[in-house]
PDB file of all heavy atoms in Angstrom:
ATOM      1  N   ASN A  34     -19.484  53.306 -10.791  1.00 74.00           N
ATOM      2  CA  ASN A  34     -20.562  54.331 -10.887  1.00 74.00           C
ATOM      3  C   ASN A  34     -20.657  55.146  -9.561  1.00 74.00           C
ATOM      4  O   ASN A  34     -21.198  56.264  -9.543  1.00 74.00           O
ATOM      5  CB  ASN A  34     -21.910  53.847 -11.224  1.00 74.00           C
ATOM      6  CG  ASN A  34     -21.876  53.219 -12.635  1.00 74.00           C
ATOM      7  OD1 ASN A  34     -21.173  53.730 -13.546  1.00 74.00           O
ATOM      8  ND2 ASN A  34     -22.572  52.103 -12.854  1.00 74.00           N
ATOM      9  N   ARG A  35     -20.150  54.566  -8.446  1.00 81.00           N
ATOM     10  CA  ARG A  35     -20.248  55.245  -7.155  1.00 81.00           C
ATOM     11  C   ARG A  35     -19.022  56.139  -6.773  1.00 81.00           C
ATOM     12  O   ARG A  35     -19.097  56.848  -5.801  1.00 81.00           O
ATOM     13  CB  ARG A  35     -20.362  54.182  -6.072  1.00 81.00           C
ATOM     14  CG  ARG A  35     -21.609  53.398  -6.184  1.00 81.00           C
ATOM     15  CD  ARG A  35     -21.829  52.450  -5.075  1.00 81.00           C
ATOM     16  NE  ARG A  35     -22.061  53.274  -3.821  1.00 81.00           N
ATOM     17  CZ  ARG A  35     -22.026  52.747  -2.570  1.00 81.00           C
ATOM     18  NH1 ARG A  35     -21.816  51.560  -2.376  1.00 81.00           N
ATOM     19  NH2 ARG A  35     -22.272  53.584  -1.578  1.00 81.00           N
ATOM     20  N   LEU A  36     -18.054  56.248  -7.765  1.00 79.00           N
ATOM     21  CA  LEU A  36     -16.877  57.056  -7.404  1.00 79.00           C
ATOM     22  C   LEU A  36     -17.291  58.559  -7.208  1.00 79.00           C
ATOM     23  O   LEU A  36     -16.650  59.259  -6.462  1.00 79.00           O
ATOM     24  CB  LEU A  36     -15.887  56.966  -8.526  1.00 79.00           C
ATOM     25  CG  LEU A  36     -15.223  55.631  -8.746  1.00 79.00           C
ATOM     26  CD1 LEU A  36     -14.231  55.666  -9.969  1.00 79.00           C
ATOM     27  CD2 LEU A  36     -14.362  55.303  -7.459  1.00 79.00           C
ATOM     28  N   ILE A  37     -18.341  58.951  -7.872  1.00 80.00           N
ATOM     29  CA  ILE A  37     -18.789  60.392  -7.794  1.00 80.00           C
ATOM     30  C   ILE A  37     -19.135  60.737  -6.238  1.00 80.00           C
ATOM     31  O   ILE A  37     -18.998  61.836  -5.845  1.00 80.00           O
ATOM     32  CB  ILE A  37     -19.986  60.671  -8.643  1.00 80.00           C
ATOM     33  CG1 ILE A  37     -20.269  62.146  -8.748  1.00 80.00           C
ATOM     34  CG2 ILE A  37     -21.223  59.915  -8.240  1.00 80.00           C
ATOM     35  CD1 ILE A  37     -19.209  62.984  -9.383  1.00 80.00           C
ATOM     36  N   GLU A  38     -19.471  59.673  -5.493  1.00 83.00           N
ATOM     37  CA  GLU A  38     -19.753  59.907  -4.073  1.00 83.00           C
ATOM     38  C   GLU A  38     -18.549  60.352  -3.262  1.00 83.00           C
ATOM     39  O   GLU A  38     -18.729  60.980  -2.296  1.00 83.00           O
ATOM     40  CB  GLU A  38     -20.332  58.649  -3.562  1.00 83.00           C
ATOM     41  CG  GLU A  38     -21.679  58.263  -4.088  1.00 83.00           C
ATOM     42  CD  GLU A  38     -22.204  56.903  -3.517  1.00 83.00           C
ATOM     43  OE1 GLU A  38     -21.860  56.614  -2.336  1.00 83.00           O
ATOM     44  OE2 GLU A  38     -22.900  56.190  -4.292  1.00 83.00           O
ATOM     45  N   ILE A  39     -17.324  60.043  -3.778  1.00 79.00           N
ATOM     46  CA  ILE A  39     -16.136  60.396  -2.947  1.00 79.00           C
ATOM     47  C   ILE A  39     -15.223  61.400  -3.752  1.00 79.00           C
ATOM     48  O   ILE A  39     -14.327  61.879  -3.177  1.00 79.00           O
ATOM     49  CB  ILE A  39     -15.372  59.214  -2.457  1.00 79.00           C
ATOM     50  CG1 ILE A  39     -14.911  58.361  -3.608  1.00 79.00           C
ATOM     51  CG2 ILE A  39     -16.193  58.418  -1.478  1.00 79.00           C
ATOM     52  CD1 ILE A  39     -13.862  57.322  -3.206  1.00 79.00           C
ATOM     53  N   TYR A  40     -15.410  61.467  -5.034  1.00 78.00           N
ATOM     54  CA  TYR A  40     -14.502  62.210  -5.929  1.00 78.00           C
ATOM     55  C   TYR A  40     -15.331  63.284  -6.661  1.00 78.00           C
ATOM     56  O   TYR A  40     -16.172  62.862  -7.532  1.00 78.00           O
ATOM     57  CB  TYR A  40     -13.776  61.358  -6.845  1.00 78.00           C
ATOM     58  CG  TYR A  40     -12.651  62.104  -7.612  1.00 78.00           C
ATOM     59  CD1 TYR A  40     -11.552  62.567  -7.044  1.00 78.00           C
ATOM     60  CD2 TYR A  40     -12.777  62.297  -8.994  1.00 78.00           C
ATOM     61  CE1 TYR A  40     -10.618  63.300  -7.669  1.00 78.00           C
ATOM     62  CE2 TYR A  40     -11.796  62.960  -9.699  1.00 78.00           C
ATOM     63  CZ  TYR A  40     -10.738  63.492  -9.017  1.00 78.00           C
ATOM     64  OH  TYR A  40      -9.767  64.233  -9.794  1.00 78.00           O
ATOM     65  N   PRO A  41     -15.195  64.619  -6.476  1.00 81.00           N
ATOM     66  CA  PRO A  41     -15.980  65.624  -7.094  1.00 81.00           C
ATOM     67  C   PRO A  41     -15.625  65.836  -8.512  1.00 81.00           C
ATOM     68  O   PRO A  41     -14.880  66.699  -8.841  1.00 81.00           O
ATOM     69  CB  PRO A  41     -15.768  66.796  -6.183  1.00 81.00           C
ATOM     70  CG  PRO A  41     -14.306  66.586  -5.742  1.00 81.00           C
ATOM     71  CD  PRO A  41     -14.198  65.144  -5.544  1.00 81.00           C
ATOM     72  N   ALA A  42     -16.165  64.970  -9.362  1.00 84.00           N
ATOM     73  CA  ALA A  42     -15.904  65.123 -10.768  1.00 84.00           C
ATOM     74  C   ALA A  42     -17.101  64.541 -11.552  1.00 84.00           C
ATOM     75  O   ALA A  42     -17.890  63.900 -11.046  1.00 84.00           O
ATOM     76  CB  ALA A  42     -14.622  64.307 -11.155  1.00 84.00           C
ATOM     77  N   PHE A  43     -17.066  64.794 -12.890  1.00 86.00           N
ATOM     78  CA  PHE A  43     -17.943  64.176 -13.791  1.00 86.00           C
ATOM     79  C   PHE A  43     -17.370  62.883 -14.148  1.00 86.00           C
ATOM     80  O   PHE A  43     -16.241  62.831 -14.715  1.00 86.00           O
ATOM     81  CB  PHE A  43     -18.255  65.109 -15.001  1.00 86.00           C
ATOM     82  CG  PHE A  43     -19.045  64.377 -16.080  1.00 86.00           C
ATOM     83  CD1 PHE A  43     -20.415  64.297 -15.997  1.00 86.00           C
ATOM     84  CD2 PHE A  43     -18.333  63.828 -17.157  1.00 86.00           C
ATOM     85  CE1 PHE A  43     -21.145  63.658 -17.005  1.00 86.00           C
ATOM     86  CE2 PHE A  43     -19.105  63.155 -18.170  1.00 86.00           C
ATOM     87  CZ  PHE A  43     -20.465  63.168 -18.073  1.00 86.00           C
ATOM     88  N   ILE A  44     -18.055  61.732 -13.942  1.00 84.00           N
ATOM     89  CA  ILE A  44     -17.542  60.442 -14.273  1.00 84.00           C
ATOM     90  C   ILE A  44     -18.617  59.642 -15.062  1.00 84.00           C
ATOM     91  O   ILE A  44     -19.749  59.590 -14.573  1.00 84.00           O
ATOM     92  CB  ILE A  44     -17.187  59.668 -13.000  1.00 84.00           C
ATOM     93  CG1 ILE A  44     -16.048  60.388 -12.175  1.00 84.00           C
ATOM     94  CG2 ILE A  44     -16.655  58.207 -13.368  1.00 84.00           C
ATOM     95  CD1 ILE A  44     -15.842  59.789 -10.758  1.00 84.00           C
ATOM     96  N   LYS A  45     -18.243  59.170 -16.206  1.00 85.00           N
ATOM     97  CA  LYS A  45     -19.158  58.470 -17.039  1.00 85.00           C
ATOM     98  C   LYS A  45     -18.456  57.240 -17.725  1.00 85.00           C
ATOM     99  O   LYS A  45     -17.424  57.490 -18.285  1.00 85.00           O
ATOM    100  CB  LYS A  45     -19.788  59.400 -18.109  1.00 85.00           C
ATOM    101  CG  LYS A  45     -20.844  58.616 -18.980  1.00 85.00           C
ATOM    102  CD  LYS A  45     -21.471  59.546 -19.935  1.00 85.00           C
ATOM    103  CE  LYS A  45     -22.435  58.786 -20.740  1.00 85.00           C
ATOM    104  NZ  LYS A  45     -23.126  59.537 -21.757  1.00 85.00           N
ATOM    105  N   ARG A  46     -19.135  56.101 -17.652  1.00 85.00           N
ATOM    106  CA  ARG A  46     -18.600  54.965 -18.421  1.00 85.00           C
ATOM    107  C   ARG A  46     -18.868  55.243 -19.876  1.00 85.00           C
ATOM    108  O   ARG A  46     -20.086  55.454 -20.266  1.00 85.00           O
ATOM    109  CB  ARG A  46     -19.258  53.705 -17.858  1.00 85.00           C
ATOM    110  CG  ARG A  46     -18.609  52.398 -18.483  1.00 85.00           C
ATOM    111  CD  ARG A  46     -19.135  51.107 -17.949  1.00 85.00           C
ATOM    112  NE  ARG A  46     -20.547  51.029 -18.106  1.00 85.00           N
ATOM    113  CZ  ARG A  46     -21.457  51.168 -17.209  1.00 85.00           C
ATOM    114  NH1 ARG A  46     -21.099  51.381 -15.900  1.00 85.00           N
ATOM    115  NH2 ARG A  46     -22.807  51.120 -17.431  1.00 85.00           N
ATOM    116  N   ILE A  47     -17.827  55.107 -20.701  1.00 89.00           N
ATOM    117  CA  ILE A  47     -18.079  55.252 -22.154  1.00 89.00           C
ATOM    118  C   ILE A  47     -17.946  54.011 -22.915  1.00 89.00           C
ATOM    119  O   ILE A  47     -18.391  53.923 -24.090  1.00 89.00           O
ATOM    120  CB  ILE A  47     -17.070  56.348 -22.615  1.00 89.00           C
ATOM    121  CG1 ILE A  47     -15.644  56.007 -22.373  1.00 89.00           C
ATOM    122  CG2 ILE A  47     -17.468  57.705 -22.140  1.00 89.00           C
ATOM    123  CD1 ILE A  47     -14.565  56.925 -22.974  1.00 89.00           C
ATOM    124  N   ILE A  48     -17.332  52.954 -22.309  1.00 90.00           N
ATOM    125  CA  ILE A  48     -17.289  51.672 -22.934  1.00 90.00           C
ATOM    126  C   ILE A  48     -17.608  50.640 -21.930  1.00 90.00           C
ATOM    127  O   ILE A  48     -16.976  50.544 -20.832  1.00 90.00           O
ATOM    128  CB  ILE A  48     -15.907  51.447 -23.583  1.00 90.00           C
ATOM    129  CG1 ILE A  48     -15.493  52.395 -24.595  1.00 90.00           C
ATOM    130  CG2 ILE A  48     -15.760  50.004 -24.175  1.00 90.00           C
ATOM    131  CD1 ILE A  48     -14.104  52.300 -25.159  1.00 90.00           C
ATOM    132  N   ASP A  49     -18.627  49.805 -22.215  1.00 89.00           N
ATOM    133  CA  ASP A  49     -18.965  48.721 -21.314  1.00 89.00           C
ATOM    134  C   ASP A  49     -17.987  47.487 -21.521  1.00 89.00           C
ATOM    135  O   ASP A  49     -17.422  47.342 -22.555  1.00 89.00           O
ATOM    136  CB  ASP A  49     -20.377  48.164 -21.620  1.00 89.00           C
ATOM    137  CG  ASP A  49     -21.479  49.127 -21.212  1.00 89.00           C
ATOM    138  OD1 ASP A  49     -21.158  50.073 -20.438  1.00 89.00           O
ATOM    139  OD2 ASP A  49     -22.620  48.957 -21.626  1.00 89.00           O
ATOM    140  N   ALA A  50     -17.759  46.782 -20.440  1.00 90.00           N
ATOM    141  CA  ALA A  50     -16.954  45.628 -20.500  1.00 90.00           C
ATOM    142  C   ALA A  50     -17.714  44.548 -21.298  1.00 90.00           C
ATOM    143  O   ALA A  50     -18.882  44.537 -21.365  1.00 90.00           O
ATOM    144  CB  ALA A  50     -16.676  45.079 -19.055  1.00 90.00           C
TER     145      ALA A  50
END
Side-chain angles (χ1 to χ4, degrees):
N34 295 323
R35 295 188 66 194
L36 291 177
I37 191 68
E38 295 177 29
I39 61 166
Y40 187 68
F43 171 80
I44 303 170
K45 181 178 180 180
R46 188 178 55 253
I47 55 176
I48 299 174
D49 289 346

